[in-house]
Amino acid sequence: DVKVTQSSRYLVKRTGEKVFLECVQDMDHENMFWYRQDPGLGLRLIYFSYDVKMKEKGDIPEGYSVSREKKERFSLILESASTNQTSMYLCASSLTGGQDGYTFGSGTRLTVV
Amino acid sequence: GEDVEQSLFLSVREGDSSVINCTYTDSSSTYLYWYKQEPGAGLQLLTYIFSNMDMKQDQRLTVLLNKKDKHLSLRIADTQTGDSAIYFCAERTGGYNKLIFGAGTRLAVHP
Protein backbone atom coordinates (compact mmCIF):
# COMPACT_ATOMS: atom_id res chain seq x y z
CA ASP A 1 0.00 0.00 0.00
CA VAL A 2 3.04 2.27 -0.31
CA LYS A 3 2.14 5.35 -2.38
CA VAL A 4 5.22 7.61 -2.21
CA THR A 5 8.51 5.77 -2.20
CA GLN A 6 11.88 7.30 -1.49
CA SER A 7 14.68 5.12 -2.75
CA SER A 8 16.92 5.25 0.32
CA ARG A 9 16.12 5.48 4.01
CA TYR A 10 19.67 6.32 5.07
CA LEU A 11 22.51 7.63 2.95
CA VAL A 12 26.08 8.61 3.79
CA LYS A 13 28.02 10.60 1.20
CA ARG A 14 31.35 12.41 1.07
CA THR A 15 31.77 16.15 0.65
CA GLY A 16 31.89 17.06 -3.02
CA GLU A 17 30.02 13.99 -4.25
CA LYS A 18 27.04 14.29 -6.57
CA VAL A 19 24.02 12.86 -4.80
CA PHE A 20 20.71 11.72 -6.27
CA LEU A 21 17.61 11.31 -4.13
CA GLU A 22 14.78 9.55 -5.91
CA CYS A 23 11.06 9.73 -5.26
CA VAL A 24 8.32 7.77 -6.99
CA GLN A 25 4.55 8.05 -6.52
CA ASP A 26 1.87 5.74 -7.87
CA MET A 27 -1.19 7.98 -7.41
CA ASP A 28 -0.99 9.87 -10.72
CA HIS A 29 -0.48 13.14 -8.82
CA GLU A 30 0.46 16.21 -10.84
CA ASN A 31 2.42 17.95 -8.09
CA MET A 32 5.56 16.76 -6.38
CA PHE A 33 7.65 18.44 -3.71
CA TRP A 34 11.03 18.15 -2.01
CA TYR A 35 11.48 19.41 1.56
CA ARG A 36 14.29 19.25 4.01
CA GLN A 37 13.60 18.97 7.71
CA ASP A 38 15.96 20.21 10.40
CA PRO A 39 15.35 20.38 14.16
CA GLY A 40 13.65 23.62 15.16
CA LEU A 41 13.27 24.76 11.55
CA GLY A 42 10.37 22.59 10.48
CA LEU A 43 9.91 21.76 6.82
CA ARG A 44 11.54 23.99 4.24
CA LEU A 45 10.57 23.71 0.60
CA ILE A 46 13.49 23.14 -1.76
CA TYR A 47 11.79 22.65 -5.14
CA PHE A 48 8.44 21.59 -6.47
CA SER A 49 7.05 20.48 -9.79
CA TYR A 50 3.50 20.83 -11.07
CA ASP A 51 3.95 18.89 -14.28
CA VAL A 52 6.42 16.76 -16.19
CA LYS A 53 9.58 18.72 -17.05
CA MET A 54 8.31 21.70 -15.02
CA LYS A 55 9.97 22.90 -11.84
CA GLU A 56 9.73 25.82 -9.48
CA LYS A 57 12.16 27.00 -6.83
CA GLY A 58 11.03 26.81 -3.25
CA ASP A 59 12.43 28.72 -0.31
CA ILE A 60 15.93 27.18 -0.21
CA PRO A 61 16.93 25.98 -3.70
CA GLU A 62 20.62 26.90 -3.46
CA GLY A 63 22.89 23.90 -3.88
CA TYR A 64 20.09 21.72 -5.26
CA SER A 65 18.54 20.91 -8.60
CA VAL A 66 15.66 18.64 -9.62
CA SER A 67 14.52 16.53 -12.51
CA ARG A 68 11.03 15.40 -13.50
CA GLU A 69 11.21 13.42 -16.72
CA LYS A 70 8.17 11.26 -15.91
CA LYS A 71 5.02 12.13 -14.00
CA GLU A 72 5.62 9.57 -11.30
CA ARG A 73 9.26 10.37 -10.56
CA PHE A 74 10.86 13.45 -9.03
CA SER A 75 14.59 13.48 -8.37
CA LEU A 76 16.54 15.81 -6.11
CA ILE A 77 20.17 16.35 -7.04
CA LEU A 78 22.93 17.72 -4.85
CA GLU A 79 25.53 18.77 -7.39
CA SER A 80 28.38 18.88 -4.88
CA ALA A 81 27.34 17.73 -1.44
CA SER A 82 28.39 19.78 1.56
CA THR A 83 28.18 19.08 5.27
CA ASN A 84 25.45 21.70 5.73
CA GLN A 85 23.23 19.57 3.51
CA THR A 86 23.15 16.87 6.14
CA SER A 87 19.43 16.62 6.86
CA MET A 88 16.23 14.61 6.56
CA TYR A 89 14.79 14.95 3.05
CA LEU A 90 11.07 14.44 2.52
CA CYS A 91 9.29 13.97 -0.78
CA ALA A 92 5.56 14.57 -1.17
CA SER A 93 2.96 14.56 -3.90
CA SER A 94 -0.52 15.99 -4.33
CA LEU A 95 -3.39 16.47 -6.75
CA THR A 96 -4.04 19.94 -8.07
CA GLY A 97 -7.29 21.13 -6.52
CA GLY A 98 -7.60 18.07 -4.33
CA GLN A 99 -8.51 18.50 -0.70
CA ASP A 100 -6.35 15.73 0.66
CA GLY A 101 -3.17 17.73 1.02
CA TYR A 102 0.12 15.97 0.53
CA THR A 103 1.10 12.34 0.69
CA PHE A 104 4.62 12.02 2.07
CA GLY A 105 7.32 9.45 1.63
CA SER A 106 9.14 7.99 4.62
CA GLY A 107 12.11 10.32 4.22
CA THR A 108 15.80 9.94 3.45
CA ARG A 109 18.26 10.80 6.18
CA LEU A 110 21.35 12.07 4.39
CA THR A 111 24.67 12.49 6.17
CA VAL A 112 27.48 14.27 4.36
CA VAL A 113 30.91 13.63 5.86
CA GLY B 1 4.18 36.88 3.55
CA GLU B 2 2.76 33.52 4.38
CA ASP B 3 3.67 32.14 7.77
CA VAL B 4 2.44 29.43 10.12
CA GLU B 5 3.43 29.43 13.78
CA GLN B 6 3.19 26.78 16.45
CA SER B 7 4.62 26.34 19.90
CA LEU B 8 7.48 23.86 19.80
CA PHE B 9 6.75 21.61 22.75
CA LEU B 10 3.81 20.26 24.76
CA SER B 11 3.88 17.78 27.63
CA VAL B 12 0.72 16.04 28.89
CA ARG B 13 -0.19 13.23 31.21
CA GLU B 14 -1.57 10.03 29.77
CA GLY B 15 -5.38 10.15 29.72
CA ASP B 16 -5.58 13.95 29.67
CA SER B 17 -6.56 16.03 26.66
CA SER B 18 -3.89 17.68 24.53
CA VAL B 19 -4.46 20.95 22.72
CA ILE B 20 -2.00 22.01 20.05
CA ASN B 21 -2.37 25.53 18.71
CA CYS B 22 -1.41 27.13 15.43
CA THR B 23 -1.74 30.57 13.86
CA TYR B 24 -1.53 31.35 10.17
CA THR B 25 -1.42 34.51 8.13
CA ASP B 26 -3.07 33.89 4.76
CA SER B 27 -6.75 34.76 5.09
CA SER B 28 -7.44 33.22 1.68
CA SER B 29 -6.35 29.75 2.80
CA THR B 30 -8.93 27.22 1.66
CA TYR B 31 -7.89 24.18 3.68
CA LEU B 32 -5.92 23.74 6.87
CA TYR B 33 -4.25 20.50 7.82
CA TRP B 34 -2.81 18.60 10.73
CA TYR B 35 -0.03 16.09 10.12
CA LYS B 36 1.62 13.69 12.55
CA GLN B 37 5.24 12.59 12.34
CA GLU B 38 6.48 9.66 14.39
CA PRO B 39 10.23 9.28 15.03
CA GLY B 40 12.21 8.53 11.89
CA ALA B 41 9.15 8.56 9.64
CA GLY B 42 7.50 10.81 7.10
CA LEU B 43 4.42 12.93 7.79
CA GLN B 44 1.02 11.31 7.97
CA LEU B 45 -2.17 13.28 7.34
CA LEU B 46 -4.33 13.26 10.48
CA THR B 47 -7.18 15.50 9.49
CA TYR B 48 -8.06 18.67 7.63
CA ILE B 49 -10.73 21.34 7.77
CA PHE B 50 -12.25 23.47 5.07
CA SER B 51 -12.06 27.19 5.74
CA ASN B 52 -15.83 27.65 5.89
CA MET B 53 -16.11 25.26 8.84
CA ASP B 54 -15.66 26.08 12.53
CA MET B 55 -15.16 22.60 13.84
CA LYS B 56 -14.49 19.08 12.69
CA GLN B 57 -14.53 15.97 14.88
CA ASP B 58 -13.00 12.63 14.02
CA GLN B 59 -12.98 10.09 16.85
CA ARG B 60 -10.52 11.43 19.47
CA LEU B 61 -9.54 14.40 17.33
CA THR B 62 -11.31 17.76 17.31
CA VAL B 63 -10.19 20.60 15.07
CA LEU B 64 -11.33 24.13 15.84
CA LEU B 65 -10.92 26.97 13.37
CA ASN B 66 -11.26 30.65 14.22
CA LYS B 67 -11.00 32.28 10.84
CA LYS B 68 -11.28 35.80 12.20
CA ASP B 69 -8.21 35.32 14.40
CA LYS B 70 -6.53 32.92 11.93
CA HIS B 71 -6.20 30.39 14.72
CA LEU B 72 -6.36 26.63 14.38
CA SER B 73 -6.24 24.06 17.16
CA LEU B 74 -6.07 20.29 17.42
CA ARG B 75 -7.50 18.63 20.50
CA ILE B 76 -6.64 15.02 21.22
CA ALA B 77 -8.92 13.45 23.81
CA ASP B 78 -7.67 10.72 26.17
CA THR B 79 -4.07 11.16 25.04
CA GLN B 80 -2.08 7.92 24.86
CA THR B 81 1.66 7.21 24.73
CA GLY B 82 1.20 6.30 21.06
CA ASP B 83 0.22 9.91 20.43
CA SER B 84 3.77 11.05 21.24
CA ALA B 85 5.00 12.59 18.00
CA ILE B 86 5.57 15.89 16.22
CA TYR B 87 2.38 17.56 14.98
CA PHE B 88 2.52 19.93 12.05
CA CYS B 89 -0.07 22.51 11.15
CA ALA B 90 -0.25 23.55 7.46
CA GLU B 91 -2.26 25.99 5.40
CA ARG B 92 -3.05 25.55 1.74
CA THR B 93 -2.38 28.68 -0.20
CA GLY B 94 -1.92 29.79 -3.77
CA GLY B 95 -1.93 27.40 -6.70
CA TYR B 96 -0.61 23.88 -7.19
CA ASN B 97 -1.99 22.81 -3.82
CA LYS B 98 1.06 24.31 -2.13
CA LEU B 99 1.15 23.89 1.65
CA ILE B 100 2.94 26.12 4.14
CA PHE B 101 3.99 24.21 7.26
CA GLY B 102 4.60 25.32 10.80
CA ALA B 103 7.76 24.26 12.61
CA GLY B 104 5.93 21.44 14.38
CA THR B 105 4.90 20.84 18.00
CA ARG B 106 6.56 17.95 19.79
CA LEU B 107 3.98 16.24 22.00
CA ALA B 108 5.37 14.21 24.89
CA VAL B 109 2.96 11.96 26.79
CA HIS B 110 4.04 10.81 30.24
CA PRO B 111 2.45 8.36 32.70
Side-chain angles (χ1 to χ4, degrees):
Chain A
D1 190 38
V2 176
K3 297 177 179 178
V4 178
T5 304
Q6 294 185 230
S7 54
S8 303
R9 195 66 192 269
Y10 299 96
L11 215 49
V12 180
K13 295 292 181 181
R14 294 195 181 278
T15 301
E17 275 193 78
K18 190 168 187 175
V19 181
F20 292 86
L21 302 184
E22 306 287 348
C23 177
V24 177
Q25 51 95 5
D26 63 359
M27 296 167 289
D28 203 34
H29 284 174
E30 298 94 349
N31 309 311
M32 296 188 74
F33 306 83
W34 275 106
Y35 287 86
R36 65 177 281 177
Q37 182 181 15
D38 301 287
L41 297 177
L43 276 68
R44 293 181 291 168
L45 182 63
I46 305 172
Y47 267 97
F48 66 101
S49 168
Y50 52 89
D51 201 353
V52 176
K53 297 193 187 296
M54 305 301 285
K55 61 184 179 186
E56 294 283 339
K57 291 180 181 178
D59 300 318
I60 52 161
E62 296 78 20
Y64 303 94
S65 62
V66 290
S67 172
R68 188 141 180 229
E69 295 297 317
K70 293 185 178 181
K71 190 176 186 180
E72 67 270 19
R73 186 181 296 270
F74 192 36
S75 303
L76 180 69
I77 303 154
L78 286 67
E79 295 290 343
S80 177
S82 63
T83 54
N84 63 13
Q85 292 178 309
T86 292
S87 187
M88 169 73 103
Y89 289 88
L90 292 166
C91 174
S93 69
S94 72
L95 274 174
T96 298
Q99 64 191 24
D100 294 337
Y102 293 179
T103 301
F104 280 88
S106 299
T108 296
R109 184 164 293 283
L110 172 67
T111 302
V112 182
V113 298
Chain B
E2 305 145 344
D3 197 15
V4 177
E5 293 191 356
Q6 306 177 234
S7 54
L8 292 183
F9 190 74
L10 177 66
S11 177
V12 299
R13 192 182 301 276
E14 192 174 9
D16 287 352
S17 292
S18 308
V19 180
I20 302 171
N21 294 301
C22 168
T23 57
Y24 62 97
T25 55
D26 187 354
S27 57
S28 66
S29 294
T30 52
Y31 289 93
L32 295 124
Y33 301 84
W34 285 104
Y35 284 84
K36 177 183 181 182
Q37 185 183 35
E38 296 181 354
L43 276 68
Q44 172 194 1
L45 178 66
L46 273 182
T47 186
Y48 63 87
I49 188 167
F50 188 47
S51 57
N52 68 354
M53 297 170 65
D54 299 324
M55 184 181 85
K56 181 178 180 181
Q57 188 149 4
D58 184 1
Q59 299 182 338
R60 291 191 298 122
L61 304 179
T62 302
V63 178
L64 294 178
L65 175 60
N66 181 329
K67 200 171 178 184
K68 174 176 167 289
D69 294 337
K70 301 191 190 71
H71 183 268
L72 183 74
S73 67
L74 174 69
R75 178 177 179 269
I76 305 173
D78 187 25
T79 311
Q80 302 298 308
T81 54
D83 295 322
S84 294
I86 302 175
Y87 291 81
F88 289 90
C89 166
E91 62 170 342
R92 176 172 149 183
T93 183
Y96 311 121
N97 197 14
K98 186 179 171 188
L99 299 187
I100 307 296
F101 289 85
T105 300
R106 183 178 295 274
L107 174 65
V109 183
H110 56 88

